[in-house]
Amino acid sequence: MHIESATSSQLVEWEKELSVHYERICQHELSLDITRGKPSAEQLHLSDKLDGILATDYRAADGTDTRNYGGMTGLSCARALGADLLQVPTEEVMAGGNSSLTLMYHAVLTGYLFGFAGNVPWRALESPKFLCPVPGYDRHFTICEQLGIGMLAIPLGKGGPDMECVEKHVREDGDIIGIWCVPKYANPTGITYNRETVERLAQLGQIANPGFRIFWDNAYAVHDLGPSINLASIRAATLENDTVDSVLQFASTSKVTHAGSGIAFVSASSANLDSLKLQMQAMTIGPDKVNQLRHSRFFTECTTLEEHMHKHASILKPKFECVLEHLQNALGDSGMGQWEKPRGGYFVSFNTRPGCAKAVVGLAADAGVKLTPAGATFPYGNDPEDSNIRIAPSFPPLEELDTAMSVFVLCVQLASVRQRLAQCRNASG
Amino acid sequence: MHIESATSSQLVEWEKELSVHYERICQHELSLDITRGKPSAEQLHLSDKLDGILATDYRAADGTDTRNYGGMTGLSCARALGADLLQVPTEEVMAGGNSSLTLMYHAVLTGYLFGFAGNVPWRALESPKFLCPVPGYDRHFTICEQLGIGMLAIPLGKGGPDMECVEKHVREDGDIIGIWCVPKYANPTGITYNRETVERLAQLGQIANPGFRIFWDNAYAVHDLGPSINLASIRAATLENDTVDSVLQFASTSKVTHAGSGIAFVSASSANLDSLKLQMQAMTIGPDKVNQLRHSRFFTECTTLEEHMHKHASILKPKFECVLEHLQNALGDSGMGQWEKPRGGYFVSFNTRPGCAKAVVGLAADAGVKLTPAGATFPYGNDPEDSNIRIAPSFPPLEELDTAMSVFVLCVQLASVRQRLAQCRNASG
């Protein structure tokens, strides 16, 4: 039944049934977690040959002894791997440590404290701000929040951020100095920016503060569940628009090999890389080149990137199907929520009826199913609609995910019916 | 002959001889490098079993799957290794990535941007400054310089920094918010702080700005060339003086295992660690735990820390002896320079006659021997005496080091004699 078409007495009955069901589940004392986009043990196992792959030959093809200090830009064969991931020239890539988040943090710090490519440091502006397409990735927002950089939420549609809105802000406010983008299989909605959006983003450099930078976090560049979607090249678009300095691209092997011990990449113009290196040189003599060599060998000796990602997809696909089946079976045509069917990435984004997200997350928690906190996908943790919930199906085994999702949909039903019931009572009261 | 006792005509003759010798060496087109404290290939080889040591068993003893995300404080077995290195309790240790410099940078950033343990951020002060015992480690100074934190040079004696001078500054200037210390086998002089110095440093917290922090970079904690020198515990001393929050200790395995791919540690009070973690949480989900596990296994399955460091010493000792023999044979009782005989660490610190260091480094460079730039061991690269040169004997093979040192002492002789000659001419002119 569609929730809007239920009468008050039907809602009362429905709430009773759902409550009984919910109470029964609470007694099972579950302990399930679908909060974060962590690879499963089965996925991690795909890369277990990494340790030992060097067979005590620590010398890279270019002669570098990877065991010693040095080489801020990373090993050339690792940079080539990053270039392959991001589809850019090797010389525009810097290969770093185990986290692209760390590279992004240092890029923001560079802009904030020192300025990119000779531009004014952001901290010298009255009110520096990033545009944040929402729902988005909470860790992006945390970086801005920590450094006191303001954030403006921008609606994210099926083809990318609302570009009218983006352009208006950039045109009218010279203190807009960045935008966070997850252009492919966006976290959490799973959408991929269309060509027009990429083009228009690449043109922002013509109207923005010269210190403005697009943070292009291509975290899911090769993380297809089926046939790959083609993301237009932001690099090519900035070349055409003479705005090459306006973009910094990021990627990592975190969800390709081992999540905590992969390697990360940043790609940018030489002016941007020089600024970033200048800042980073004060804090490191260079990244872990031994691990970079391991990754390079792995993708030449053991497998190819494409083949490897196919294996990931075959593990992940049934999990996404499980989530989508539960949503469709329990909530299809119910008026209790909306979701997209992602073609890659790590998440399913679910929108409850406005005002229900926190209630759903709370009910699920009490029933032993941990969800990402409601609001986490918005700057300052504030979802004005209290609607978005990010579901991360990758980590739990299929059986546990199945149980977690049956709890989730029940919680959505219960919260929705209770809200509707309260609305009806208020209306008649 | 002692340079001060040579007559003008003897100096002229001497200069001629040395110049001929120098010109001959320049024709050899050498390319030798004794600039940085890098381990040699032979030393790195001692740890080659690191890769492959996991034998596809990536699970730590406490059950952690090291391949996945998470664990800001590091793996418990890695923290235990850090505790062993720094002689502190495991729970006070955070194990990080491949560089203690990175941890130090983030600690300075934490103090500068946010303040430690609820104290005022250093950037809010009018003129925040670090005390810098000199000669010291250039990369410490670079961190301060980049963030615009002032630096005051403090003379470093045989038992540590001049504590009268340190205490005077701290008492008189509330903007002193830190001091850089390499307490054991100091970089570059090789001295170890005596007990009295450690005690007095631990008392600074009673008179300093509450945000004041001692950066205790114990980089050479276990890097003895012979019998170990006992460094008094700064932790114990701060416990006695109720100043536990005033110290942050650092160490790493960079010169223990592989230099670019080791693991780093910071040890501090829980209040300090909490502040540091709060800052670092915005930039990382956690360190490379797989590499931490490798290191833990290496020091339980392959060797002990003590045994391993003995092997390093047996490689390094002949190199230090080579340097000291050259200095003694060519420059002993010559009045052309002073040096210490280090009992551990990575450097020999050489002081030329005032005003000669740049000339020596220049002459050596022209003869194909690269030395650390004169002045590098002082804040802002400014050695007011133009005297200190850091010699790093670890990296080149013994034969190359022998050649490099014969060039070095010749350059010292030539620069000294030329300077003395100029002085005599000025005096008589």
Side-chain angles (χ1 to χ4, degrees), chain B residues 59-91:
Chain B
R59 208 164 276 276
D62 68 1
T64 307
D65 185 345
T66 59
R67 301 168 301 179
N68 222 325
Y69 285 119
M72 266 299 291
T73 344
L75 214 54
S76 47
C77 57
R79 295 168 70 194
L81 178 59
D84 195 21
L85 264 172
L86 286 166
Q87 297 288 298
V88 295
T90 301
E91 57 272 21

PDB file of all heavy atoms in Angstrom, chain B residues 59-91:
ATOM      1  N   ARG B  59      46.638 -11.115   9.487  1.00  0.00           N
ATOM      2  CA  ARG B  59      45.889 -10.849  10.713  1.00  0.00           C
ATOM      3  C   ARG B  59      46.869 -10.653  11.870  1.00  0.00           C
ATOM      4  O   ARG B  59      47.771 -11.459  12.084  1.00  0.00           O
ATOM      5  CB  ARG B  59      44.925 -12.006  10.994  1.00  0.00           C
ATOM      6  CG  ARG B  59      43.689 -11.578  11.772  1.00  0.00           C
ATOM      7  CD  ARG B  59      42.582 -12.618  11.710  1.00  0.00           C
ATOM      8  NE  ARG B  59      41.770 -12.503  10.509  1.00  0.00           N
ATOM      9  CZ  ARG B  59      40.738 -11.658  10.367  1.00  0.00           C
ATOM     10  NH1 ARG B  59      40.416 -10.834  11.347  1.00  0.00           N
ATOM     11  NH2 ARG B  59      40.038 -11.622   9.263  1.00  0.00           N
ATOM     12  N   ALA B  60      46.670  -9.564  12.614  1.00  0.00           N
ATOM     13  CA  ALA B  60      47.536  -9.321  13.773  1.00  0.00           C
ATOM     14  C   ALA B  60      47.120 -10.223  14.924  1.00  0.00           C
ATOM     15  O   ALA B  60      46.030 -10.797  14.917  1.00  0.00           O
ATOM     16  CB  ALA B  60      47.432  -7.856  14.190  1.00  0.00           C
ATOM     17  N   ALA B  61      47.995 -10.349  15.909  1.00  0.00           N
ATOM     18  CA  ALA B  61      47.730 -11.221  17.061  1.00  0.00           C
ATOM     19  C   ALA B  61      46.429 -10.828  17.762  1.00  0.00           C
ATOM     20  O   ALA B  61      45.735 -11.686  18.314  1.00  0.00           O
ATOM     21  CB  ALA B  61      48.899 -11.154  18.032  1.00  0.00           C
ATOM     22  N   ASP B  62      46.070  -9.533  17.729  1.00  0.00           N
ATOM     23  CA  ASP B  62      44.830  -9.113  18.389  1.00  0.00           C
ATOM     24  C   ASP B  62      43.601  -9.278  17.502  1.00  0.00           C
ATOM     25  O   ASP B  62      42.514  -8.825  17.847  1.00  0.00           O
ATOM     26  CB  ASP B  62      44.954  -7.659  18.876  1.00  0.00           C
ATOM     27  CG  ASP B  62      45.034  -6.661  17.712  1.00  0.00           C
ATOM     28  OD1 ASP B  62      44.982  -7.084  16.540  1.00  0.00           O
ATOM     29  OD2 ASP B  62      45.140  -5.449  17.970  1.00  0.00           O
ATOM     30  N   GLY B  63      43.770  -9.922  16.350  1.00  0.00           N
ATOM     31  CA  GLY B  63      42.631 -10.226  15.486  1.00  0.00           C
ATOM     32  C   GLY B  63      42.372  -9.207  14.387  1.00  0.00           C
ATOM     33  O   GLY B  63      41.561  -9.447  13.494  1.00  0.00           O
ATOM     34  N   THR B  64      43.076  -8.060  14.427  1.00  0.00           N
ATOM     35  CA  THR B  64      42.852  -7.020  13.420  1.00  0.00           C
ATOM     36  C   THR B  64      43.225  -7.506  12.016  1.00  0.00           C
ATOM     37  O   THR B  64      44.314  -8.050  11.819  1.00  0.00           O
ATOM     38  CB  THR B  64      43.722  -5.781  13.735  1.00  0.00           C
ATOM     39  OG1 THR B  64      43.477  -5.375  15.077  1.00  0.00           O
ATOM     40  CG2 THR B  64      43.434  -4.639  12.778  1.00  0.00           C
ATOM     41  N   ASP B  65      42.327  -7.318  11.054  1.00  0.00           N
ATOM     42  CA  ASP B  65      42.669  -7.550   9.652  1.00  0.00           C
ATOM     43  C   ASP B  65      43.393  -6.296   9.168  1.00  0.00           C
ATOM     44  O   ASP B  65      42.762  -5.274   8.895  1.00  0.00           O
ATOM     45  CB  ASP B  65      41.409  -7.808   8.829  1.00  0.00           C
ATOM     46  CG  ASP B  65      41.742  -8.185   7.378  1.00  0.00           C
ATOM     47  OD1 ASP B  65      42.903  -7.959   6.949  1.00  0.00           O
ATOM     48  OD2 ASP B  65      40.848  -8.700   6.684  1.00  0.00           O
ATOM     49  N   THR B  66      44.714  -6.393   9.075  1.00  0.00           N
ATOM     50  CA  THR B  66      45.519  -5.196   8.796  1.00  0.00           C
ATOM     51  C   THR B  66      45.274  -4.642   7.398  1.00  0.00           C
ATOM     52  O   THR B  66      45.648  -3.508   7.113  1.00  0.00           O
ATOM     53  CB  THR B  66      47.022  -5.501   8.947  1.00  0.00           C
ATOM     54  OG1 THR B  66      47.379  -6.556   8.039  1.00  0.00           O
ATOM     55  CG2 THR B  66      47.347  -5.918  10.366  1.00  0.00           C
ATOM     56  N   ARG B  67      44.632  -5.423   6.532  1.00  0.00           N
ATOM     57  CA  ARG B  67      44.455  -4.994   5.148  1.00  0.00           C
ATOM     58  C   ARG B  67      43.355  -3.957   4.986  1.00  0.00           C
ATOM     59  O   ARG B  67      43.218  -3.335   3.939  1.00  0.00           O
ATOM     60  CB  ARG B  67      44.106  -6.207   4.270  1.00  0.00           C
ATOM     61  CG  ARG B  67      45.141  -7.299   4.289  1.00  0.00           C
ATOM     62  CD  ARG B  67      44.594  -8.570   3.647  1.00  0.00           C
ATOM     63  NE  ARG B  67      43.393  -9.044   4.331  1.00  0.00           N
ATOM     64  CZ  ARG B  67      42.703 -10.119   3.984  1.00  0.00           C
ATOM     65  NH1 ARG B  67      43.098 -10.841   2.946  1.00  0.00           N
ATOM     66  NH2 ARG B  67      41.630 -10.488   4.650  1.00  0.00           N
ATOM     67  N   ASN B  68      42.521  -3.802   6.016  1.00  0.00           N
ATOM     68  CA  ASN B  68      41.380  -2.899   5.867  1.00  0.00           C
ATOM     69  C   ASN B  68      41.632  -1.552   6.540  1.00  0.00           C
ATOM     70  O   ASN B  68      42.649  -1.350   7.172  1.00  0.00           O
ATOM     71  CB  ASN B  68      40.105  -3.552   6.408  1.00  0.00           C
ATOM     72  CG  ASN B  68      38.915  -3.292   5.482  1.00  0.00           C
ATOM     73  OD1 ASN B  68      38.821  -2.215   4.878  1.00  0.00           O
ATOM     74  ND2 ASN B  68      38.032  -4.253   5.359  1.00  0.00           N
ATOM     75  N   TYR B  69      40.692  -0.640   6.346  1.00  0.00           N
ATOM     76  CA  TYR B  69      40.764   0.712   6.902  1.00  0.00           C
ATOM     77  C   TYR B  69      40.746   0.694   8.435  1.00  0.00           C
ATOM     78  O   TYR B  69      40.253  -0.231   9.058  1.00  0.00           O
ATOM     79  CB  TYR B  69      39.522   1.496   6.486  1.00  0.00           C
ATOM     80  CG  TYR B  69      39.488   1.965   5.062  1.00  0.00           C
ATOM     81  CD1 TYR B  69      38.482   1.529   4.209  1.00  0.00           C
ATOM     82  CD2 TYR B  69      40.425   2.862   4.578  1.00  0.00           C
ATOM     83  CE1 TYR B  69      38.400   1.993   2.902  1.00  0.00           C
ATOM     84  CE2 TYR B  69      40.349   3.331   3.270  1.00  0.00           C
ATOM     85  CZ  TYR B  69      39.336   2.889   2.439  1.00  0.00           C
ATOM     86  OH  TYR B  69      39.249   3.353   1.151  1.00  0.00           O
ATOM     87  N   GLY B  70      41.207   1.798   9.009  1.00  0.00           N
ATOM     88  CA  GLY B  70      40.911   2.076  10.405  1.00  0.00           C
ATOM     89  C   GLY B  70      42.058   1.937  11.376  1.00  0.00           C
ATOM     90  O   GLY B  70      43.119   1.408  11.046  1.00  0.00           O
ATOM     91  N   GLY B  71      41.833   2.437  12.573  1.00  0.00           N
ATOM     92  CA  GLY B  71      42.817   2.316  13.644  1.00  0.00           C
ATOM     93  C   GLY B  71      43.821   3.462  13.649  1.00  0.00           C
ATOM     94  O   GLY B  71      45.008   3.253  13.378  1.00  0.00           O
ATOM     95  N   MET B  72      43.339   4.661  13.979  1.00  0.00           N
ATOM     96  CA  MET B  72      44.175   5.868  13.999  1.00  0.00           C
ATOM     97  C   MET B  72      45.449   5.720  14.833  1.00  0.00           C
ATOM     98  O   MET B  72      46.487   6.289  14.506  1.00  0.00           O
ATOM     99  CB  MET B  72      43.354   7.020  14.597  1.00  0.00           C
ATOM    100  CG  MET B  72      42.644   7.878  13.612  1.00  0.00           C
ATOM    101  SD  MET B  72      43.769   8.689  12.467  1.00  0.00           S
ATOM    102  CE  MET B  72      44.587   9.828  13.593  1.00  0.00           C
ATOM    103  N   THR B  73      45.382   4.984  15.928  1.00  0.00           N
ATOM    104  CA  THR B  73      46.508   4.918  16.863  1.00  0.00           C
ATOM    105  C   THR B  73      47.540   3.899  16.423  1.00  0.00           C
ATOM    106  O   THR B  73      48.625   3.830  16.994  1.00  0.00           O
ATOM    107  CB  THR B  73      45.990   4.560  18.275  1.00  0.00           C
ATOM    108  OG1 THR B  73      44.593   4.772  18.338  1.00  0.00           O
ATOM    109  CG2 THR B  73      46.660   5.390  19.328  1.00  0.00           C
ATOM    110  N   GLY B  74      47.199   3.116  15.406  1.00  0.00           N
ATOM    111  CA  GLY B  74      48.129   2.102  14.937  1.00  0.00           C
ATOM    112  C   GLY B  74      47.886   0.759  15.591  1.00  0.00           C
ATOM    113  O   GLY B  74      47.160   0.647  16.580  1.00  0.00           O
ATOM    114  N   LEU B  75      48.510  -0.249  15.024  1.00  0.00           N
ATOM    115  CA  LEU B  75      48.353  -1.632  15.486  1.00  0.00           C
ATOM    116  C   LEU B  75      49.016  -1.789  16.859  1.00  0.00           C
ATOM    117  O   LEU B  75      50.106  -1.272  17.076  1.00  0.00           O
ATOM    118  CB  LEU B  75      49.071  -2.504  14.458  1.00  0.00           C
ATOM    119  CG  LEU B  75      48.528  -3.868  14.131  1.00  0.00           C
ATOM    120  CD1 LEU B  75      47.065  -3.799  13.728  1.00  0.00           C
ATOM    121  CD2 LEU B  75      49.356  -4.466  13.002  1.00  0.00           C
ATOM    122  N   SER B  76      48.390  -2.540  17.749  1.00  0.00           N
ATOM    123  CA  SER B  76      48.943  -2.605  19.109  1.00  0.00           C
ATOM    124  C   SER B  76      50.360  -3.194  19.132  1.00  0.00           C
ATOM    125  O   SER B  76      51.211  -2.714  19.884  1.00  0.00           O
ATOM    126  CB  SER B  76      48.000  -3.349  20.057  1.00  0.00           C
ATOM    127  OG  SER B  76      47.567  -4.533  19.482  1.00  0.00           O
ATOM    128  N   CYS B  77      50.626  -4.188  18.280  1.00  0.00           N
ATOM    129  CA  CYS B  77      51.982  -4.753  18.302  1.00  0.00           C
ATOM    130  C   CYS B  77      53.020  -3.754  17.767  1.00  0.00           C
ATOM    131  O   CYS B  77      54.185  -3.780  18.184  1.00  0.00           O
ATOM    132  CB  CYS B  77      52.037  -6.074  17.540  1.00  0.00           C
ATOM    133  SG  CYS B  77      51.501  -5.970  15.837  1.00  0.00           S
ATOM    134  N   ALA B  78      52.593  -2.853  16.881  1.00  0.00           N
ATOM    135  CA  ALA B  78      53.511  -1.815  16.396  1.00  0.00           C
ATOM    136  C   ALA B  78      53.739  -0.763  17.474  1.00  0.00           C
ATOM    137  O   ALA B  78      54.854  -0.271  17.664  1.00  0.00           O
ATOM    138  CB  ALA B  78      52.948  -1.154  15.133  1.00  0.00           C
ATOM    139  N   ARG B  79      52.680  -0.447  18.200  1.00  0.00           N
ATOM    140  CA  ARG B  79      52.826   0.505  19.306  1.00  0.00           C
ATOM    141  C   ARG B  79      53.789  -0.057  20.357  1.00  0.00           C
ATOM    142  O   ARG B  79      54.567   0.693  20.961  1.00  0.00           O
ATOM    143  CB  ARG B  79      51.455   0.799  19.921  1.00  0.00           C
ATOM    144  CG  ARG B  79      50.517   1.504  18.943  1.00  0.00           C
ATOM    145  CD  ARG B  79      49.090   1.515  19.460  1.00  0.00           C
ATOM    146  NE  ARG B  79      48.954   2.400  20.604  1.00  0.00           N
ATOM    147  CZ  ARG B  79      47.896   2.411  21.418  1.00  0.00           C
ATOM    148  NH1 ARG B  79      46.890   1.574  21.195  1.00  0.00           N
ATOM    149  NH2 ARG B  79      47.835   3.245  22.429  1.00  0.00           N
ATOM    150  N   ALA B  80      53.743  -1.359  20.545  1.00  0.00           N
ATOM    151  CA  ALA B  80      54.653  -1.995  21.509  1.00  0.00           C
ATOM    152  C   ALA B  80      56.107  -1.854  21.056  1.00  0.00           C
ATOM    153  O   ALA B  80      57.008  -1.640  21.876  1.00  0.00           O
ATOM    154  CB  ALA B  80      54.283  -3.463  21.683  1.00  0.00           C
ATOM    155  N   LEU B  81      56.315  -1.942  19.753  1.00  0.00           N
ATOM    156  CA  LEU B  81      57.672  -1.758  19.217  1.00  0.00           C
ATOM    157  C   LEU B  81      58.145  -0.321  19.472  1.00  0.00           C
ATOM    158  O   LEU B  81      59.295  -0.098  19.889  1.00  0.00           O
ATOM    159  CB  LEU B  81      57.666  -2.081  17.714  1.00  0.00           C
ATOM    160  CG  LEU B  81      58.974  -1.917  16.938  1.00  0.00           C
ATOM    161  CD1 LEU B  81      60.075  -2.802  17.510  1.00  0.00           C
ATOM    162  CD2 LEU B  81      58.762  -2.237  15.444  1.00  0.00           C
ATOM    163  N   GLY B  82      57.249   0.633  19.257  1.00  0.00           N
ATOM    164  CA  GLY B  82      57.577   2.031  19.541  1.00  0.00           C
ATOM    165  C   GLY B  82      57.859   2.246  21.020  1.00  0.00           C
ATOM    166  O   GLY B  82      58.767   2.998  21.403  1.00  0.00           O
ATOM    167  N   ALA B  83      57.082   1.575  21.848  1.00  0.00           N
ATOM    168  CA  ALA B  83      57.278   1.680  23.301  1.00  0.00           C
ATOM    169  C   ALA B  83      58.653   1.140  23.690  1.00  0.00           C
ATOM    170  O   ALA B  83      59.337   1.699  24.553  1.00  0.00           O
ATOM    171  CB  ALA B  83      56.174   0.909  24.014  1.00  0.00           C
ATOM    172  N   ASP B  84      59.062   0.088  23.028  1.00  0.00           N
ATOM    173  CA  ASP B  84      60.378  -0.513  23.266  1.00  0.00           C
ATOM    174  C   ASP B  84      61.489   0.471  22.854  1.00  0.00           C
ATOM    175  O   ASP B  84      62.455   0.676  23.588  1.00  0.00           O
ATOM    176  CB  ASP B  84      60.451  -1.810  22.439  1.00  0.00           C
ATOM    177  CG  ASP B  84      61.592  -2.701  22.879  1.00  0.00           C
ATOM    178  OD1 ASP B  84      62.062  -2.539  24.029  1.00  0.00           O
ATOM    179  OD2 ASP B  84      62.023  -3.549  22.073  1.00  0.00           O
ATOM    180  N   LEU B  85      61.322   1.089  21.696  1.00  0.00           N
ATOM    181  CA  LEU B  85      62.308   2.058  21.206  1.00  0.00           C
ATOM    182  C   LEU B  85      62.427   3.261  22.138  1.00  0.00           C
ATOM    183  O   LEU B  85      63.524   3.726  22.435  1.00  0.00           O
ATOM    184  CB  LEU B  85      61.885   2.569  19.819  1.00  0.00           C
ATOM    185  CG  LEU B  85      62.473   1.909  18.592  1.00  0.00           C
ATOM    186  CD1 LEU B  85      61.776   2.416  17.334  1.00  0.00           C
ATOM    187  CD2 LEU B  85      63.970   2.192  18.495  1.00  0.00           C
ATOM    188  N   LEU B  86      61.268   3.764  22.585  1.00  0.00           N
ATOM    189  CA  LEU B  86      61.258   5.004  23.373  1.00  0.00           C
ATOM    190  C   LEU B  86      61.247   4.761  24.880  1.00  0.00           C
ATOM    191  O   LEU B  86      61.297   5.710  25.662  1.00  0.00           O
ATOM    192  CB  LEU B  86      60.045   5.861  22.974  1.00  0.00           C
ATOM    193  CG  LEU B  86      60.139   6.571  21.619  1.00  0.00           C
ATOM    194  CD1 LEU B  86      58.781   7.104  21.173  1.00  0.00           C
ATOM    195  CD2 LEU B  86      61.147   7.726  21.695  1.00  0.00           C
ATOM    196  N   GLN B  87      61.160   3.484  25.270  1.00  0.00           N
ATOM    197  CA  GLN B  87      61.136   3.145  26.699  1.00  0.00           C
ATOM    198  C   GLN B  87      60.009   3.866  27.439  1.00  0.00           C
ATOM    199  O   GLN B  87      60.220   4.567  28.440  1.00  0.00           O
ATOM    200  CB  GLN B  87      62.502   3.465  27.338  1.00  0.00           C
ATOM    201  CG  GLN B  87      63.636   2.645  26.764  1.00  0.00           C
ATOM    202  CD  GLN B  87      63.565   1.181  27.230  1.00  0.00           C
ATOM    203  OE1 GLN B  87      63.649   0.892  28.402  1.00  0.00           O
ATOM    204  NE2 GLN B  87      63.359   0.269  26.284  1.00  0.00           N
ATOM    205  N   VAL B  88      58.807   3.671  26.903  1.00  0.00           N
ATOM    206  CA  VAL B  88      57.600   4.254  27.493  1.00  0.00           C
ATOM    207  C   VAL B  88      56.503   3.189  27.450  1.00  0.00           C
ATOM    208  O   VAL B  88      56.654   2.175  26.762  1.00  0.00           O
ATOM    209  CB  VAL B  88      57.130   5.505  26.687  1.00  0.00           C
ATOM    210  CG1 VAL B  88      58.147   6.633  26.775  1.00  0.00           C
ATOM    211  CG2 VAL B  88      56.855   5.138  25.221  1.00  0.00           C
ATOM    212  N   PRO B  89      55.377   3.399  28.166  1.00  0.00           N
ATOM    213  CA  PRO B  89      54.291   2.422  28.101  1.00  0.00           C
ATOM    214  C   PRO B  89      53.606   2.419  26.727  1.00  0.00           C
ATOM    215  O   PRO B  89      53.436   3.481  26.124  1.00  0.00           O
ATOM    216  CB  PRO B  89      53.303   2.892  29.187  1.00  0.00           C
ATOM    217  CG  PRO B  89      54.055   3.876  30.022  1.00  0.00           C
ATOM    218  CD  PRO B  89      55.096   4.479  29.133  1.00  0.00           C
ATOM    219  N   THR B  90      53.215   1.228  26.287  1.00  0.00           N
ATOM    220  CA  THR B  90      52.583   1.075  24.968  1.00  0.00           C
ATOM    221  C   THR B  90      51.370   1.994  24.788  1.00  0.00           C
ATOM    222  O   THR B  90      51.160   2.553  23.714  1.00  0.00           O
ATOM    223  CB  THR B  90      52.145  -0.391  24.763  1.00  0.00           C
ATOM    224  OG1 THR B  90      53.306  -1.216  24.873  1.00  0.00           O
ATOM    225  CG2 THR B  90      51.514  -0.614  23.408  1.00  0.00           C
ATOM    226  N   GLU B  91      50.590   2.168  25.846  1.00  0.00           N
ATOM    227  CA  GLU B  91      49.356   2.948  25.708  1.00  0.00           C
ATOM    228  C   GLU B  91      49.635   4.438  25.471  1.00  0.00           C
ATOM    229  O   GLU B  91      48.739   5.178  25.085  1.00  0.00           O
ATOM    230  CB  GLU B  91      48.419   2.751  26.910  1.00  0.00           C
ATOM    231  CG  GLU B  91      49.006   3.084  28.256  1.00  0.00           C
ATOM    232  CD  GLU B  91      49.727   1.899  28.914  1.00  0.00           C
ATOM    233  OE1 GLU B  91      50.117   0.961  28.179  1.00  0.00           O
ATOM    234  OE2 GLU B  91      49.913   1.922  30.144  1.00  0.00           O
TER     235      GLU B  91
END
